[in-house]
Amino acid sequence: MASTSKVDSSVDDEAEEEEFERFDDFTLASSWERFISEIEAICRQWLADGSKNLLEKGAIQLDSSKNLYKAKSELKYFMKSYCMEYYFEIKKSGEFTVWDCTLHDLQLCFGVKEFLVIAPQSASGVVLDAPEASKLLSAVAIALSNCSSLWPAFVPVHDPSRDAFIGIQNMGTIFTRRFEADRICSQVPVKLMHLEGLYELFVSKFAYSTLDFSMHVFKVRFTMKLTYKTLPYDDDDDTRGEDVENTEPTDFPGGESGNRTQWDDDCPWRFGLVVIWSEKKVEGSFEMAEIENSSPHEAEKWILFPNMYDLSFTQLYISVVFVVESKKMPFQLFHDNYFFGSRSDSWKGNRIGFASQLLLLIDAFKMSFEAQFMEDFVSVENPGSDNLKSSMVIPSPTIIDRVLKDLFHEGVQLPDFAKGQHRSSRSIKGAPLESLFAQFCLHSLWFGNCNIRAIAVLWIEFVREIRWYWEESQPLPKMPVNGSIDLSTCLINQKLQMLAICIEKMRELNEEFQDCIGSNDPSPADIKEDGQAVDGSNNLRIPDENFDRNCDSQLTADGLRESGNAVQRYTMKPQDVASVDKKPSDFVRRGSVGKVGSMMLLKSYQSMHAPFTQDAPLMTEDMHEERLHAVEAFGNSFLGPIELTMDRQLRWSFKGILSNSNGKFVTCLAVYDMSAFKAANPDAVFEDFIRWHSPGDWLNDDGKENGPSGIPAVEDLKENWPPRGRLSQRMSEHGNLWRKIWNEAPAVQASEQKPLLDPNREGEKILHYLETLRPNDLLEQMVCTAFRASADTLNQTNFGALKQMAMKMDQLYITMSSVLKPLQANNLSGDSETIEDLRRLCVVFEHVEKLLTVAASLHRKFLQAPRISEAIFSDFYDFYLPKMGRGSGQEDVQMEFDMKLQLRNHERQLVSNMFMPPTANQSWRKVLSMGNLLNGHEPILREIIFSSSDHVNGGHYAPSTPRAYQQEIETYRMYICGTSNDLRVALSVTSCD
């Protein structure tokens, strides 16, 4: 019995041991098994979470794709740490698109969607040991198999520069795909540089190696993608360098002139072109050779993409070109004035443009409060001059002479000041773009890098040159000599315009003295019956029978004004009023322009004559303010006794605004106009002058409405003479200033009156103002003018119908007008908040300048295909808009803008012309080793996908394949990417295990 019980107990122990052997006890498992278990747990968690929960748990979106995300987890095996990443898509696309630009590198190489990557956490990030890589991949494959997951898994191997991977994917219970990718970084075999050799490479993976592949037919699927890029600027190419100066930019890049050098040819951003051959079946090496020799125009798709990774270089170039084109100045002269060394060395890596130079001008403006005169910044006696000399460089005298020559020696033809001017430009109190002071400000921006010391030197020489023009009575360039002073501009521009007029007056006095001061009065024998001169002097002009004048007419050749009524008068023929002129005048009529329509004098039966009058004196803004303060201080007594021979400063004659004792505003009549009217109408009374000068102050008693000028009709003139009427209330008041002036004004014709403008006196005052101008006053006006001139220069650019750019330019002018307005108050200090506002304005200007750079280039290049420029700029505007709130130092140097635009058939030729044939200097550098040339350019990148499929039913895999898998599967797939210098191959093979 005992023996029997012992036997039974031993049997039970063996049964219990068999049960324990079937149980997976991980507490006793190896580290390898625990590593697999950890991978499995992570994969199960990712499968359970799904894409939506993974996003909530912190999955990261890839920069290259808006639809691809990754989740990662860290794990350890022995002493090594690994990182496992799961790449997944949010939107599940039904069909795999081969040449989708948003695909991940492994998706493109192996044609997968979701996948895992496990890599060591090391400096290289790759597995250098082949057995370790195989063991790591096996661990992931076992874990995925336990999870029933079909995700492919990859492990990076070899050297990081080779982009090598091995991978595996369980496709179910039967099939398994294996992946391998590697790269040849140098010495690519010549055979593999051509499509024939690449085709045979793919065929060798499934055909017998002893066969001659060129003599057999192997049907495989083929698709190809070629990438071209416009050539970068070649700084060593002397031919292109000469064209920059001499070649006019063409407006038709797609025409024959497309080979000309464009203003943005040497910008660091270029255009790329992707040409795609859709999938087709090929049957041999000869067919591949035909494809290699075919033109890119035979491809099914053309996709254009701009590469705008840095705009700093472009900013400088566009700024310089705009200045050069607006000034009609040779490019080389501008370059030699302000830049040293080669263009590429001077500009490479520098963020230079209008905005950056304006920022330097603001720094100079802040320093301008430290001195009383501009000479203090260059004087050796100035205590701070040593610091200025050490930190601020002044260009050589040769460059100063070139700049002055460009400013003052461009000819006497006046530019069009309204050309290219924005409608809001006049709201900024600066100088017009083509004016002398505006051009001085533009030169100052780049002169000596716009430091205060260089500006002081250039200003002193500038004023010295202006004095020479004054002393030699030479016309001042770039300044108008006629018309009124434009008070909407800055004071310096007003002074220069006034000086130009004074120089012209002095020239007239010196060259044609007799013609300028007038001629003698006509003798009584030369007077006709109606008192009009028979042969007028040089100052007078005999009017025709339809004489009709306005009182504010322009200057005549002798500097006098043909003055008529303030409003338009009815005209009548002399015979219509002949019966009314019944007696001749007892005095001699002088300085008459002609009859004023049908108007008759009240106290005599004589026609009213309009006199020659002097124009109101030209005054700058400060002169207006000075006289206005004088009138406010002295009131009516300011006029004093009316003496035509007294000093001009006391003989005020202008139409201004005065306040009388009742607080009403009246128009101050020039005493010179009254004197001229008396000379032309010896029998006139005060009421006649009012009827001529201010018809609204003469009221008819008959109740009939007069014509638009207050003159009775012709048929009523003969019957109702003299006309019945009266002065208005303001003119008939006791002690009226107008009547007092009339009573004291002598009858002196305009040619005998002392000129209201003394050109010699005013010219010297202007030069004194320029020579003693305080530095902060100068820099205030320079800042306003520089901003306005820079914006107007950019505004001359034609960027087509890009509405976003037009809106930004409008906003820029509004912003500038608002920020620059405090500078007009002339009460700023070096610590004012306005300085910081100006710095922020420079940031705004910089962003608009960058946008305009892109807009101008796109419009110029795609003038014949506006759809392309509008599409690219619209995407770039949306991309760049979030960056516009940041300055240059806050944004990345490399701008990642990724945009692809599929071209239409009629647009291909235009884009093709952008790829100009390479020059001789560019051709020898690179040996053409690949086909499919585009205007002599080989692709910079060639990507090919070969694939072959096999029907499982009746095929190699048929004997061991269930009926559920009786379909066509992709058995071999090869992705090839490379150039003549490197080659990358990724192979995936499907096998039946």
Side-chain angles (χ1 to χ4, degrees):
M1 295 291 296
S3 61
T4 304
S5 62
K6 289 181 180 180
V7 173
D8 294 338
S9 62
S10 63
V11 173
D12 294 337
D13 291 340
E14 290 178 0
E16 290 178 2
E17 288 178 3
E18 290 178 1
E19 292 179 3
F20 281 110
E21 285 178 359
R22 299 191 193 99
F23 177 75
D24 294 331
D25 186 5
F26 288 102
T27 61
L28 302 177
S30 64
S31 59
W32 168 251
E33 293 173 321
R34 288 196 297 269
F35 181 59
I36 295 175
S37 176
E38 189 175 353
I39 297 176
E40 181 181 344
I42 295 173
C43 293
R44 288 184 184 276
Q45 186 63 49
W46 284 342
L47 285 169
D49 287 339
S51 58
K52 186 175 295 185
N53 291 332
L54 288 176
L55 290 178
E56 296 177 357
K57 291 184 177 182
I60 303 173
Q61 181 181 8
L62 271 65
D63 295 334
S64 60
S65 175
K66 297 181 180 179
N67 191 37
L68 191 62
Y69 294 78
K70 71 175 180 179
K72 64 180 182 178
S73 180
E74 298 180 359
L75 41 91
K76 286 187 176 182
Y77 176 61
F78 282 118
M79 301 299 295
K80 292 188 177 181
S81 298
Y82 295 92
C83 179
M84 187 167 63
E85 296 176 335
Y86 168 49
Y87 293 80
F88 61 95
E89 296 180 346
I90 298 298
K91 299 178 181 178
K92 306 293 184 180
S93 55
E95 186 177 350
F96 182 79
T97 304
V98 176
W99 299 121
D100 188 355
C101 60
T102 63
L103 290 177
H104 187 273
D105 178 61
L106 294 178
Q107 290 179 317
L108 181 60
C109 287
F110 302 110
V112 298
K113 292 186 178 181
E114 299 176 315
F115 58 92
L116 294 176
V117 176
I118 184 167
Q121 290 185 324
S122 60
S124 63
V126 299
V127 181
L128 300 177
D129 184 47
E132 179 188 356
S134 300
K135 187 175 182 180
L136 188 61
L137 188 62
S138 299
V140 178
I142 293 172
L144 291 175
S145 179
N146 294 338
C147 299
S148 300
S149 172
L150 302 181
W151 293 340
F154 300 96
V155 176
V157 294
H158 304 310
D159 186 82
S161 62
R162 291 168 59 175
D163 290 332
F165 288 88
I166 59 173
I168 192 170
Q169 180 183 14
N170 179 18
M171 301 182 66
T173 58
I174 299 176
F175 298 110
T176 301
R177 293 179 70 187
R178 286 179 171 81
F179 309 98
E180 185 176 0
D182 205 345
R183 163 176 285 170
I184 303 175
C185 298
S186 62
Q187 297 181 351
V188 179
V190 177
K191 184 176 182 180
L192 298 182
M193 294 180 185
H194 301 280
L195 295 183
E196 297 175 73
L198 296 175
Y199 167 81
E200 294 176 2
L201 174 65
F202 174 69
V203 172
S204 66
K205 300 302 178 181
F206 59 85
Y208 293 106
S209 58
T210 57
L211 296 177
D212 184 1
F213 301 132
S214 61
M215 303 302 295
H216 291 76
V217 175
F218 299 96
K219 295 183 179 180
V220 299
R221 288 193 296 268
F222 161 83
T223 179
M224 182 169 64
K225 173 184 174 183
L226 302 179
T227 302
Y228 301 86
K229 271 192 179 180
T230 54
L231 287 176
Y233 175 73
D234 191 351
D235 199 34
D236 297 331
D237 190 355
D238 298 334
T239 304
R240 293 173 62 92
E242 294 174 357
D243 290 343
V244 173
E245 177 182 351
N246 300 323
T247 304
E248 290 291 335
T250 177
D251 289 336
F252 301 98
E256 295 179 357
S257 59
N259 289 337
R260 294 182 177 180
T261 300
Q262 298 293 321
W263 61 265
D264 57 350
D265 275 349
D266 56 352
C267 296
W269 53 282
R270 299 174 285 158
F271 283 93
L273 176 65
V274 172
V275 178
I276 297 176
W277 272 264
S278 299
E279 186 175 283
K280 59 183 297 186
K281 286 188 176 183
V282 294
E283 298 182 351
S285 302
F286 296 106
E287 190 172 351
M288 297 302 300
E290 292 178 359
I291 296 176
E292 181 174 326
N293 295 326
S294 63
S295 169
H297 288 273
E298 299 179 15
E300 284 74 10
K301 290 183 180 180
W302 278 34
I303 300 175
L304 184 70
F305 65 95
N307 185 12
M308 305 177 185
Y309 59 86
D310 189 10
L311 296 179
S312 59
F313 188 91
T314 311
Q315 273 184 271
L316 170 65
Y317 199 78
I318 192 172
S319 302
V320 170
V321 171
F322 285 161
V323 172
V324 170
E325 287 188 350
S326 65
K327 292 161 56 59
K328 301 297 184 291
M329 177 183 181
F331 180 89
Q332 194 62 38
L333 174 61
F334 194 94
H335 173 261
D336 292 343
N337 284 353
Y338 302 118
F339 303 102
F340 308 95
S342 66
R343 281 198 300 259
S344 60
D345 294 337
S346 300
W347 300 348
K348 192 174 298 181
N350 294 330
R351 190 173 292 277
I352 302 178
F354 279 125
S356 63
Q357 300 308 109
L358 289 170
L359 188 60
L360 295 175
L361 181 62
I362 293 171
D363 294 336
F365 173 47
K366 185 176 182 179
M367 294 187 63
S368 66
F369 292 91
E370 300 176 4
Q372 296 292 325
F373 302 99
M374 294 300 293
E375 289 80 1
D376 295 340
F377 290 106
V378 295
S379 174
V380 294
E381 299 178 357
N382 186 13
S385 61
D386 294 337
N387 296 332
L388 292 176
K389 289 181 180 179
S390 61
S391 60
M392 301 180 181
V393 180
I394 299 177
S396 65
T398 304
I399 294 179
I400 297 177
D401 292 340
R402 288 181 179 180
V403 174
L404 294 176
K405 183 178 180 180
D406 178 64
L407 284 173
F408 289 96
H409 299 281
E410 280 200 356
V412 296
Q413 184 177 2
L414 284 178
D416 184 5
F417 293 102
K419 180 181 178 182
Q421 184 171 277
H422 192 271
R423 60 178 178 271
S424 302
S425 181
R426 294 178 64 87
S427 63
I428 303 171
K429 201 170 181 63
L433 173 61
E434 299 294 340
S435 65
L436 183 60
F437 183 61
Q439 294 300 309
F440 168 83
C441 293
L442 287 178
H443 272 285
S444 299
L445 290 179
W446 280 277
F447 186 80
N449 207 19
C450 199
N451 64 76
I452 185 63
R453 191 160 173 257
I455 293 174
V457 170
L458 186 60
W459 173 255
I460 293 171
E461 296 297 328
F462 178 75
V463 175
R464 187 176 300 166
E465 195 75 12
I466 290 177
R467 175 167 285 282
W468 181 89
Y469 276 86
W470 164 251
E471 293 175 350
E472 299 295 328
S473 297
Q474 295 298 316
L476 196 60
K478 303 182 179 71
M479 296 305 299
V481 295
N482 50 22
S484 59
I485 304 297
D486 189 356
L487 300 180
S488 67
T489 62
C490 63
L491 185 57
I492 293 179
N493 184 74
Q494 297 177 37
K495 294 290 186 182
L496 292 177
Q497 186 179 356
M498 184 81 163
L499 183 63
I501 295 175
C502 291
I503 292 175
E504 185 67 21
K505 294 289 185 184
M506 294 294 293
R507 286 168 58 85
E508 292 176 358
L509 291 175
N510 295 336
E511 297 175 2
E512 300 177 3
F513 180 79
Q514 294 298 328
D515 294 336
C516 293
I517 64 175
S519 61
N520 296 327
D521 295 335
S523 62
D526 296 331
I527 304 298
K528 298 169 69 174
E529 292 183 358
D530 59 355
Q532 184 173 337
V534 177
D535 54 341
S537 64
N538 291 338
N539 288 3
L540 305 179
R541 188 172 74 181
I542 302 176
D544 58 14
E545 60 182 10
N546 294 324
F547 171 74
D548 188 8
R549 304 292 181 195
N550 291 328
C551 68
D552 292 330
S553 59
Q554 297 293 326
L555 280 171
T556 58
D558 55 3
L560 302 180
R561 177 164 51 90
E562 299 177 356
S563 182
N565 287 313
V567 294
Q568 188 178 7
R569 306 243 190 281
Y570 287 121
T571 60
M572 64 172 60
K573 297 181 180 180
Q575 57 267 26
D576 295 334
V577 294
S579 59
V580 182
D581 262 341
K582 293 184 179 180
K583 72 173 185 177
S585 174
D586 297 332
F587 303 97
V588 177
R589 188 186 310 280
R590 294 170 301 167
S592 171
V593 178
K595 298 179 181 179
V596 185
S598 61
M599 293 187 69
M600 309 295 293
L601 300 179
L602 293 175
K603 300 301 182 180
S604 66
Y605 299 103
Q606 298 292 323
S607 298
M608 182 183 293
H609 284 249
F612 280 102
T613 59
Q614 295 192 61
D615 274 331
L618 298 175
M619 290 186 291
T620 56
E621 189 177 50
D622 59 335
M623 297 170 63
H624 278 289
E625 294 177 356
E626 177 185 342
R627 284 152 177 74
L628 182 59
H629 293 159
V631 173
E632 291 175 350
F634 296 101
N636 294 347
S637 62
F638 175 77
L639 294 175
I642 303 302
E643 294 284 348
L644 290 180
T645 58
M646 67 174 52
D647 185 80
R648 179 176 178 275
Q649 297 298 325
L650 299 179
R651 292 183 294 97
W652 190 338
S653 174
F654 75 105
K655 295 179 180 179
I657 302 298
L658 296 177
S659 177
N660 61 10
S661 57
N662 297 328
K664 299 178 181 178
F665 291 97
V666 297
T667 302
C668 181
L669 176 66
V671 62
Y672 292 95
D673 290 353
M674 291 185 176
S675 298
F677 187 82
K678 282 185 175 182
N681 301 278
D683 298 327
V685 294
F686 176 65
E687 288 77 2
D688 291 323
F689 179 77
I690 295 300
R691 291 169 58 217
W692 166 72
H693 187 274
S694 181
D697 286 310
W698 177 257
L699 306 177
N700 290 331
D701 291 338
D702 54 8
K704 295 181 179 180
E705 294 184 0
N706 295 331
S709 59
I711 303 175
V714 176
E715 57 270 15
D716 296 335
L717 186 60
K718 301 178 181 180
E719 300 177 0
N720 301 322
W721 182 258
R724 293 181 295 274
R726 54 188 174 83
L727 293 173
S728 63
Q729 181 180 357
R730 73 176 186 129
M731 289 297 177
S732 59
E733 291 178 348
H734 178 70
N736 181 266
L737 179 62
W738 287 46
R739 186 178 291 276
K740 180 181 179 182
I741 297 175
W742 172 265
N743 294 335
E744 297 179 359
V748 181
Q749 62 177 328
S751 62
E752 297 178 355
Q753 297 174 4
K754 188 174 182 179
L756 293 175
L757 177 65
D758 184 353
N760 186 62
R761 181 188 182 96
E762 291 301 326
E764 288 296 337
K765 288 175 61 179
I766 292 170
L767 286 169
H768 177 74
Y769 167 81
L770 297 176
E771 292 170 344
T772 60
L773 185 62
R774 294 175 62 89
N776 61 299
D777 292 338
L778 170 62
L779 268 295
E780 283 180 2
Q781 299 181 62
M782 284 186 64
V783 168
C784 292
T785 300
F787 269 102
R788 173 176 171 175
S790 300
D792 285 346
T793 302
L794 297 180
N795 190 59
Q796 291 185 358
T797 310
N798 185 6
F799 48 79
L802 302 178
K803 297 180 180 179
Q804 301 99 324
M805 191 66 249
M807 179 186 66
K808 278 299 173 185
M809 289 300 297
D810 293 341
Q811 293 175 355
L812 176 63
Y813 277 95
I814 295 174
T815 305
M816 288 195 304
S817 177
S818 175
V819 175
L820 297 174
K821 192 172 184 180
L823 271 66
Q824 304 175 21
N826 199 22
N827 57 359
L828 299 179
S829 63
D831 299 329
S832 173
E833 293 182 1
T834 305
I835 301 294
E836 295 304 318
D837 292 339
L838 292 173
R839 296 182 189 277
R840 286 188 285 269
L841 179 61
C842 289
V843 175
V844 176
F845 198 101
E846 178 185 1
H847 291 307
V848 176
E849 189 176 3
K850 288 181 179 180
L851 286 175
L852 188 65
T853 302
V854 177
S857 178
L858 291 176
H859 174 69
R860 178 69 68 89
K861 290 182 180 298
F862 303 107
L863 190 62
Q864 295 177 332
R867 184 190 74 91
I868 300 178
S869 59
E870 292 174 5
I872 295 177
F873 184 78
S874 178
D875 280 17
F876 181 79
Y877 180 84
D878 295 337
F879 158 78
Y880 192 74
L881 195 61
K883 299 177 179 288
M884 296 192 67
R886 299 180 293 175
S888 302
Q890 296 175 291
E891 62 179 277
D892 298 331
V893 175
Q894 300 294 330
M895 298 181 63
E896 298 179 0
F897 172 65
D898 186 17
M899 186 261 184
K900 304 291 189 297
L901 178 66
Q902 184 168 344
L903 300 178
R904 298 171 181 173
N905 290 334
H906 69 277
E907 298 168 340
R908 291 189 178 187
Q909 187 59 46
L910 174 67
V911 175
S912 176
N913 290 339
M914 292 173 53
F915 293 83
M916 295 180 292
T919 62
N921 191 35
Q922 293 166 336
S923 298
W924 71 264
R925 296 181 180 180
K926 192 170 185 178
V927 179
L928 301 180
S929 305
M930 303 162 64
N932 305 114
L933 300 183
L934 178 61
N935 293 345
H937 296 261
E938 68 173 359
I940 64 168
L941 185 66
R942 178 171 61 187
E943 299 172 84
I944 302 171
I945 296 178
F946 291 108
S947 62
S948 65
S949 301
D950 193 0
H951 287 278
V952 177
N953 185 16
H956 174 71
Y957 304 101
S960 59
T961 304
R963 292 188 178 183
Y965 290 91
Q966 302 297 314
Q967 57 183 356
E968 185 180 59
I969 62 173
E970 187 180 68
T971 54
Y972 291 89
R973 184 184 190 274
M974 179 179 287
Y975 168 78
I976 303 172
C977 172
T979 65
S980 58
N981 297 321
D982 60 53
L983 184 67
R984 187 185 184 195
V985 178
L987 178 66
S988 63
V989 179
T990 304
S991 60
C992 180
D993 296 337

